[in-house]
Amino acid sequence: MPTLGKSPRGSQAQKALALVLVAGGAVAFLAWRRVHSRAPVPAPVRAAPIAKAPPVAAPKIAPPEPPSSSELLKKAGLRRVSVTIDGPLETALVSQVGRDDGQPLAQLVVRALVWWVEVPSDLRRGDKLEVLFEQKPGEELVVDAVRFSSGKLGRTFRAYRFKPPAARWPRLYQPDGEELETRLAEAPVDDYEQVTSLLRDGRGHKGVDFKTPVGTPVKATFDGVVARKNWHFRGNGNSIEVIESGGLKRHAIFLHLSEVAPEVRPGERVTLGQVIGKSGNTGHSFAPHLHYQLMSSSGEVLDPFASQKTARRKLPAELEPGFAAEVKRLDGLFDAG
C-alpha cells in the first residue's frame, strides 16, 4: 500500500544535494578565511636620497721650528764665544765666559793666533774673534774652530780641528787643508800634540814648548858637542846643552827630560837626528813637554822657527772631502742663529 509523502528516491537526492551545498560552502569559507587571514604586504618604501656632506679641508700643519743655535751647539757638545777686542784678549774672553773658563781659553786661542799675527802687538781694537770650544770633565778645554778678523792685516783667518785616521792627535788645519802650525824640518821630536809656547806669543818665554807624552825620543837638531847636562836641576830637571859644530856655533838647550842617554856626556859629540834623551816632566814643569831653546854664540835667544828650516804639512787628497764636511759643519755652528 502506498505511503503518504515523497518517495524514498526523492529524499536521497535531496540529501545528496544538501551535502554538496554544505561541502561547497565549507570549501568557500575556508578559501575566504585563508585569503583574509594573510597580513597585508606593505608597499615598498623608497629611501630618500642621502645628501653628500661638503668636503672637509685637511688641517694645515705648520712646519717644525728649526732648532735654535743653543740647541745645535748643545747637540754638538760645543760652546761658542764671539768677542770684539777692545783691550786685552783675556779680558774680552773672561767677560763672555767667566774667569774659570776665560783664562785657560785665552791661552789656547793665543796658541792659534800666533801662527797668523804677533800677540799682543798685532791686535787692534775692533778685531773680531769667534771660537768654538768644548769642555770635558777633568780635562783641558779644547778649541774646535777659530775665526779671527784682523784689522791690521785686513783679512779673516780660520782654522778647524781635524784628526786624520792615521794620526795620533787631532790638529788645527786651515781651510786649504794645511796644518796651522809650522813644523821644524829638523825638529827635536818627530811627533807631538801641539806647540804650546812660542817666543812671539807675548809670554816672554825663551823657548818653544812641545806638548808630548813622557818618554818621547828627543833628538839633536844639528851636529855638535855636549856642553853640559843636568844643571840647575830644580828648575831645568834633566837637561842637555849642545853647541853646534862649525857654522853659527848655535847652542841648543833641552829641558825637563825624563832621562838623558847614557852616552851623552859633556865633551862627547852628537850628530843631527841622534836620540840624546827622552821627554819628561822634571824640574819646574806642570805637564809633560819638551822645552827646546836655541841661542846664538853670543847668548842671544833665537826663534827656532825663524832660524831653522820649516815646513807645513797638508792633508792628502783622499782626506779632503772629510775635512771639507767638517769645515761645513763647524761653519754652520758659527753662523747658526
Side-chain angles (χ1 to χ4, degrees):
M1 174 181 295
T3 60
L4 296 174
K6 293 180 182 178
S7 66
R9 189 174 182 179
S11 297
Q12 293 176 353
Q14 291 175 348
K15 290 180 179 179
L17 178 60
L19 289 171
V20 170
L21 291 174
V22 170
V27 170
F29 174 75
L30 290 173
W32 178 88
R33 186 176 179 181
R34 183 177 181 184
V35 170
H36 289 277
S37 65
R38 293 177 182 174
V41 178
V45 179
R46 187 181 299 276
I50 300 174
K52 292 183 179 180
V56 179
K60 293 183 178 181
I61 301 176
E65 291 289 332
S68 65
S69 59
S70 60
E71 290 172 334
L72 290 172
L73 289 167
K74 183 178 180 180
K75 184 177 180 181
L78 300 178
R79 296 168 64 186
R80 180 179 62 194
V81 61
S82 177
V83 297
T84 299
I85 295 175
D86 189 27
L89 175 61
E90 182 178 304
T91 301
L93 291 172
V94 167
S95 69
Q96 292 293 315
V97 299
R99 183 169 300 278
D100 289 345
D101 291 337
Q103 288 182 335
L105 182 59
Q107 295 179 10
L108 294 175
V109 169
V110 168
R111 294 177 189 177
L113 296 184
V114 291
W115 301 102
W116 297 320
V117 295
E118 290 191 11
V119 181
S121 61
D122 284 347
L123 301 184
R124 297 288 184 271
R125 293 184 184 274
D127 287 354
K128 186 175 181 181
L129 173 69
E130 299 171 274
V131 186
L132 290 173
F133 68 100
E134 58 185 286
Q135 184 177 27
K136 297 179 180 178
E139 297 183 16
E140 186 182 52
L141 296 178
V142 173
V143 170
D144 285 78
V146 179
R147 292 202 302 205
F148 174 66
S149 297
S150 169
K152 178 180 179 179
L153 301 181
R155 58 172 294 193
T156 296
F157 299 91
R158 297 182 291 154
Y160 305 88
R161 189 169 183 257
F162 182 73
K163 183 181 181 301
R168 187 175 182 182
W169 297 287
R171 292 184 178 277
L172 288 174
Y173 290 84
Q174 300 182 89
D176 62 358
E178 274 193 344
E179 285 184 349
L180 173 61
E181 294 182 358
T182 301
R183 291 179 180 260
L184 296 177
E186 297 167 347
V189 285
D190 288 337
D191 201 12
Y192 49 91
E193 186 173 351
Q194 189 181 23
V195 173
T196 57
S197 181
L198 289 167
L199 271 69
R200 60 179 183 270
D201 61 11
R203 294 174 55 193
H205 199 52
K206 294 182 178 181
V208 175
D209 286 347
F210 295 90
K211 183 180 180 181
T212 189
V214 171
T216 301
V218 174
K219 299 180 178 182
T221 52
F222 42 65
D223 295 342
V225 177
V226 178
R228 54 182 172 167
K229 74 173 187 178
N230 298 346
W231 71 99
H232 300 316
F233 188 86
R234 185 174 181 179
N236 297 338
N238 291 311
S239 49
I240 305 171
E241 181 177 4
V242 176
I243 300 176
E244 185 178 18
S245 298
L248 300 175
K249 299 286 185 180
R250 295 172 296 181
H251 293 226
I253 295 174
F254 309 82
L255 304 183
H256 312 304
L257 305 173
S258 61
E259 61 181 90
V260 176
E263 66 274 16
V264 175
R265 295 184 297 272
E268 295 292 329
R269 291 188 174 276
V270 295
T271 58
L272 171 65
Q274 177 182 337
V275 175
I276 56 177
K278 293 182 179 180
S279 67
N281 191 26
T282 60
H284 188 63
S285 172
F286 298 101
H289 74 286
L290 170 69
H291 172 102
Y292 174 61
Q293 184 173 328
L294 197 62
M295 304 181 69
S296 70
S297 58
S298 62
E300 178 188 2
V301 176
L302 303 174
D303 183 352
F305 289 94
S307 58
Q308 292 184 226
K309 294 180 181 178
T310 61
R312 266 200 173 103
R313 295 183 183 179
K314 189 172 183 178
L315 290 169
E318 62 269 19
L319 296 182
E320 290 178 357
F323 175 64
E326 182 65 359
V327 169
K328 183 178 180 181
R329 182 183 77 89
L330 293 171
D331 275 343
L333 293 173
F334 268 133
D335 301 330

